[in-house]
Amino acid sequence: MASAAEDRRFGPQRRVTLAAPLALDGGQQLAPVTIAYETYGRLAPARDNVVWICHALTGDQHVASVHPRTGKPGWWSRLVGEGRPIDPARHFIVCANVLGSCMGSSGPGEAAPDGAPFAMRFPVITIRDMVRAQARLADHLGIGTIAAVVGGSMGGMQVLEWAATYPDRVRAAVVIASAARHSAQNIAFHEVGRQAIMADPKWRGGDYYASADPPAAGLAVARMAAHITYLSEAGLTAKFGRRLQARDTKGFGFDADFQVESYLRHQGISFVDRFDANSYLYITRAMDYFDLAEEHGGWLANAFRRSSTRFCLVSFDTDWLYPTSESRAIVQALNAAGAAASFVELRSPFGHDAFLLDVPELNRLVDGFLRAGGL
Amino acid sequence: MASAAEDRRFGPQRRVTLAAPLALDGGQQLAPVTIAYETYGRLAPARDNVVWICHALTGDQHVASVHPRTGKPGWWSRLVGEGRPIDPARHFIVCANVLGSCMGSSGPGEAAPDGAPFAMRFPVITIRDMVRAQARLADHLGIGTIAAVVGGSMGGMQVLEWAATYPDRVRAAVVIASAARHSAQNIAFHEVGRQAIMADPKWRGGDYYASADPPAAGLAVARMAAHITYLSEAGLTAKFGRRLQARDTKGFGFDADFQVESYLRHQGISFVDRFDANSYLYITRAMDYFDLAEEHGGWLANAFRRSSTRFCLVSFDTDWLYPTSESRAIVQALNAAGAAASFVELRSPFGHDAFLLDVPELNRLVDGFLRAGGL
């Protein structure tokens, strides 16, 4: 039957509601806590083959299966899947939609206890809150120790937070193209995006869910601004340069003359079909608030004291959003804390986006690191 | 009298309307052509002491006198003024508001021949069109040869265009923190700004002049995005880091928690009081269209063949909007063309904005270069 075929194609689409409230960093209690997630592979009898994947700002739980809204392959199917470094034939793979997002987990678009969407009544959350919710999911799944927590960008922040908050539950941690705190420039770019959304009259203070007319224009501008930061200057030049879009001469108007304009507009427009504007506000806020050192008395090394987790850090040389210096700072803190850490800067022309793209060296690195840990 | 004192304080506020139409790169004729400008100092009897200053995207003719709307000092009063490298005691200094802008020169906010504002009926213009209009102003002022044309950022683009289009009229050219063409990344950032403006419902297809309710929110977002590109990551970190704004702890809301957010919001809000959204569209378009090599058969060196102009190029090491590599490409073309060129990369923590800030080495450099030419 078509629906069964669809089910397999799209993965299991699991969702669980945890009854006990979650105490948030902001001081509020969130209840109930709903978490949407996907799993791939089978939990080994010894429960020692769990690979927990953390997704980035606009990612989701569909790490290696088709996205139900866009119909596109899972966002990390280059790294996760049959014959890949993270392989359901060997690993029990879990990926949960983060708190505050819009793919089924508790967030501003989900119903509050009064039945109406939370909208801006949803509490401001932190990366640590996201990880605490995931730990609850691990409990629910009967998972004690996780063999490896893996993530890139905001996913890497969650990996660091997992290792810092639950050191006894994390045997290995893979942090790709990430940082232990958001820089002033990163905060600035996020603030531009938030202002673009909140300046859209259709945002209506966040109460747009009943209207079927969300603040698409503002969200598209936010995505366009962010998207530039995901790419390298050299990569943009190589991909588009100053080439014109479907025309031989400049149009002397305000249509998209250049390919790079057309590409950016497409990025903005297609994003609004799959993402919620309020979720964008909440998750960027959580990223801006992230400062792992601050949570540990101002010293990043304190976050990893007595840690027996093995760490693998990866950066990309053209990533200017989370540059290599950010990964180095983490490695220095890990060294100072006496934790086991390996670090590689990979060459790639793709900027920050490289962690999602075809970088064979990244696959080899993750594969080698996991196998060295017996995975 | 108060009004006379005001006049002196604000400079002469000159404005001229040139009757003959201006043939534009886009194929249209613009008529009449109005140019607002300021002058400082006196034209020497030999007419050999003219320093022509070209302003940047959001600059204006008030280079060394108080801005009539903001009440702030002239935008380049660190370089231009009594005792400065460009000194009205020795030089006859001219600065014209560029075509397409909003400080009195012909632009979308000025009246079309039918009496209503041009709005989006204003033709799309180029950097070369801006310079052609300035050459008309020079004619009007009885200026044949210009001793030095000086500009930073988009001002530098005009300087290059002056030298390429009127090689016999430009004895010396000072190009600061600029480029001979806009990169894909530069176009991308401008496109975000344009989309932010055009997504604002108050933009109304550009016809907002009668409403007294311009697309301020969209223009503010455009300015915020652009402003980030004017600053260096290190400069932002040094200035703001992750410091909170007038509070001891995070607010767990969407107010401006961080100083950098508050600063950016202020930049956006204050900009809309002094700038026109349609002008922002037209001038960013002109910058994106700028490619001096393309105008000369694809070879930048062709733009400077047989040039007897002396060139001085300056870049700043932390400028990632117009990085040093862009200035180097110009110097290579000048060398290939056999033109006289000197080039210095200055150290500054301030990114692109350095050309407007207190960089004593820049002053020494410009002073030395002008004096070496007998100015």
Side-chain angles (χ1 to χ4, degrees):
Chain A
M1 275 157 49
S3 66
E6 286 274 307
D7 276 347
R8 276 199 298 277
R9 188 170 156 253
F10 288 121
Q13 302 274 0
R14 301 179 200 274
R15 197 159 183 250
V16 62
T17 297
L18 306 165
L22 185 71
L24 302 173
D25 275 336
Q28 290 188 260
Q29 302 274 330
L30 183 66
V33 179
T34 299
I35 304 174
Y37 63 101
E38 283 216 22
T39 68
Y40 310 83
R42 289 170 180 273
L43 186 58
R47 298 171 183 259
D48 59 356
N49 68 330
V50 177
V51 178
W52 195 280
I53 294 181
C54 302
H55 71 72
L57 166 52
T58 68
D60 50 60
Q61 64 273 38
H62 308 292
V63 57
S65 38
V66 169
H67 190 286
R69 289 188 204 162
T70 66
K72 288 188 177 170
W75 55 270
W76 227 359
S77 40
R78 285 190 174 89
L79 198 72
V80 182
E82 299 284 342
R84 303 285 178 179
I86 299 169
D87 189 339
R90 296 182 290 132
H91 305 133
F92 182 57
I93 302 157
V94 186
C95 185
N97 188 219
V98 299
L99 220 58
S101 186
C102 51
M103 293 298 287
S105 290
S106 294
E110 295 291 318
D114 66 2
F118 273 107
M120 299 308 283
R121 298 178 301 162
F122 194 74
V124 167
I125 48 153
T126 65
I127 299 290
R128 186 159 55 183
D129 292 331
M130 295 176 184
V131 168
R132 284 183 183 127
Q134 289 172 36
R136 287 279 189 84
L137 173 62
D139 297 342
H140 168 79
L141 296 172
I143 296 168
T145 303
I146 296 170
V149 187
V150 183
S153 196
M154 188 185 82
M157 295 177 181
Q158 292 164 70
V159 175
L160 291 168
E161 193 68 80
W162 258 106
T165 309
Y166 304 101
D168 300 333
R169 296 183 78 166
V170 179
R171 283 178 52 211
V174 181
V175 180
I176 304 168
S178 192
R181 59 188 238 171
H182 239 206
S183 72
Q185 191 181 66
N186 291 346
I187 295 171
F189 275 116
H190 275 173
E191 175 65 3
V192 168
R194 287 191 293 263
Q195 290 296 318
I197 290 167
M198 295 195 285
D200 188 333
K202 293 181 178 175
W203 180 60
R204 297 187 183 89
D207 289 325
Y208 54 80
Y209 293 106
S211 73
D213 191 16
L219 182 59
V221 168
R223 175 64 167 182
M224 289 172 67
H227 199 79
I228 301 174
T229 70
Y230 302 155
L231 308 173
S232 71
E233 200 275 337
L236 270 174
T237 299
K239 193 166 182 175
F240 304 111
R242 295 179 50 83
R243 282 189 294 282
L244 300 176
Q245 173 72 17
R247 60 188 66 190
D248 295 328
T249 56
K250 291 167 186 154
F252 284 91
F254 291 92
D255 289 343
D257 262 353
F258 295 102
Q259 288 180 7
V260 67
E261 291 176 296
S262 174
Y263 169 79
L264 263 195
R265 288 187 190 185
H266 172 76
Q267 291 294 329
I269 290 165
S270 60
F271 182 60
V272 303
D273 291 335
R274 72 173 178 89
F275 215 80
D276 175 54
N278 284 342
S279 283
Y280 198 84
L281 299 179
Y282 278 90
I283 301 178
T284 55
R285 200 55 165 158
M287 295 174 77
D288 291 350
Y289 273 9
F290 185 59
D291 184 347
L292 192 56
E294 186 191 77
E295 295 175 7
H296 295 269
W299 292 96
L300 188 54
N302 286 347
F304 308 116
R305 293 263 175 251
R306 289 179 294 279
S307 174
S308 59
T309 303
R310 295 165 56 236
F311 288 85
C312 173
L313 279 286
V314 183
S315 70
F316 295 98
D317 61 347
T318 56
D319 183 352
W320 57 280
L321 191 64
Y322 300 116
T324 292
S325 55
E326 299 287 345
S327 289
R328 279 220 185 87
I330 298 167
V331 172
Q332 283 164 358
L334 288 167
N335 289 341
S342 66
F343 165 55
V344 180
E345 180 191 59
L346 295 180
R347 293 178 73 93
S348 159
F350 303 122
H352 183 64
D353 245 10
F355 85 95
L356 294 170
L357 302 176
D358 189 21
V359 182
E361 269 200 292
L362 177 63
N363 279 30
R364 279 196 292 273
L365 205 75
V366 172
D367 189 53
F369 180 76
L370 295 181
R371 286 184 188 275
L375 264 169
Chain B
M1 275 157 48
S3 65
E6 286 274 307
D7 276 348
R8 277 199 298 278
R9 189 169 156 251
F10 287 122
Q13 302 274 1
R14 301 179 201 274
R15 197 159 184 249
V16 62
T17 296
L18 306 166
L22 185 72
L24 302 173
D25 276 336
Q28 290 187 259
Q29 302 275 330
L30 183 66
V33 179
T34 299
I35 304 176
Y37 63 103
E38 283 215 22
T39 67
Y40 309 84
R42 288 169 181 274
L43 186 59
R47 297 172 184 259
D48 58 357
N49 68 331
V50 177
V51 178
W52 194 280
I53 295 182
C54 301
H55 71 72
L57 167 53
T58 68
D60 49 61
Q61 65 271 39
H62 308 290
V63 56
S65 39
V66 170
H67 191 286
R69 290 189 203 160
T70 66
K72 289 187 176 170
W75 56 270
W76 227 359
S77 40
R78 285 191 173 88
L79 198 72
V80 182
E82 300 284 342
R84 304 284 177 180
I86 300 170
D87 188 339
R90 295 183 289 131
H91 305 133
F92 181 58
I93 303 157
V94 186
C95 185
N97 188 218
V98 298
L99 220 58
S101 188
C102 51
M103 292 299 286
S105 291
S106 294
E110 295 291 317
D114 66 1
F118 272 107
M120 300 308 283
R121 299 179 301 163
F122 195 74
V124 167
I125 47 151
T126 65
I127 298 290
R128 186 159 53 182
D129 292 331
M130 294 176 185
V131 168
R132 284 185 183 125
Q134 288 172 36
R136 288 281 188 85
L137 173 62
D139 297 342
H140 168 79
L141 296 173
I143 296 169
T145 302
I146 297 171
V149 186
V150 183
S153 196
M154 187 185 83
M157 296 177 180
Q158 293 164 70
V159 176
L160 291 169
E161 194 68 79
W162 257 107
T165 308
Y166 304 101
D168 300 334
R169 297 183 77 165
V170 180
R171 285 178 52 211
V174 181
V175 179
I176 304 168
S178 193
R181 58 187 238 170
H182 240 207
S183 72
Q185 192 182 66
N186 290 348
I187 295 171
F189 275 116
H190 275 173
E191 176 65 3
V192 168
R194 286 191 293 262
Q195 290 295 318
I197 290 167
M198 297 195 284
D200 188 334
K202 293 182 178 175
W203 180 60
R204 297 187 183 89
D207 289 325
Y208 53 79
Y209 294 107
S211 73
D213 191 16
L219 181 58
V221 168
R223 175 63 168 182
M224 288 172 68
H227 199 79
I228 300 173
T229 70
Y230 302 154
L231 308 174
S232 72
E233 200 275 335
L236 271 174
T237 299
K239 193 166 181 176
F240 305 111
R242 295 180 49 83
R243 282 188 294 283
L244 300 176
Q245 174 72 17
R247 59 188 68 188
D248 295 328
T249 58
K250 292 168 186 152
F252 284 92
F254 290 92
D255 290 342
D257 263 353
F258 296 102
Q259 288 180 7
V260 67
E261 292 176 295
S262 174
Y263 169 79
L264 263 194
R265 288 187 192 186
H266 172 76
Q267 291 295 328
I269 290 165
S270 59
F271 182 60
V272 303
D273 291 335
R274 72 172 178 90
F275 214 80
D276 174 54
N278 284 343
S279 283
Y280 198 84
L281 299 178
Y282 277 89
I283 301 178
T284 56
R285 201 54 164 161
M287 294 174 78
D288 292 350
Y289 273 8
F290 184 60
D291 184 347
L292 191 57
E294 186 190 77
E295 295 175 7
H296 295 269
W299 292 96
L300 187 55
N302 285 347
F304 308 115
R305 293 263 174 251
R306 288 178 295 280
S307 174
S308 60
T309 303
R310 295 165 56 235
F311 288 86
C312 173
L313 279 285
V314 183
S315 70
F316 296 98
D317 60 348
T318 56
D319 183 350
W320 57 279
L321 190 64
Y322 300 116
T324 290
S325 56
E326 299 287 345
S327 287
R328 278 220 185 86
I330 298 167
V331 172
Q332 283 164 0
L334 289 167
N335 289 342
S342 67
F343 166 54
V344 179
E345 181 191 59
L346 296 180
R347 294 178 71 93
S348 159
F350 303 122
H352 183 64
D353 245 10
F355 85 96
L356 294 170
L357 301 176
D358 188 21
V359 181
E361 269 200 292
L362 176 64
N363 279 31
R364 279 195 292 272
L365 205 75
V366 172
D367 189 54
F369 180 77
L370 294 182
R371 286 183 188 275
L375 265 169

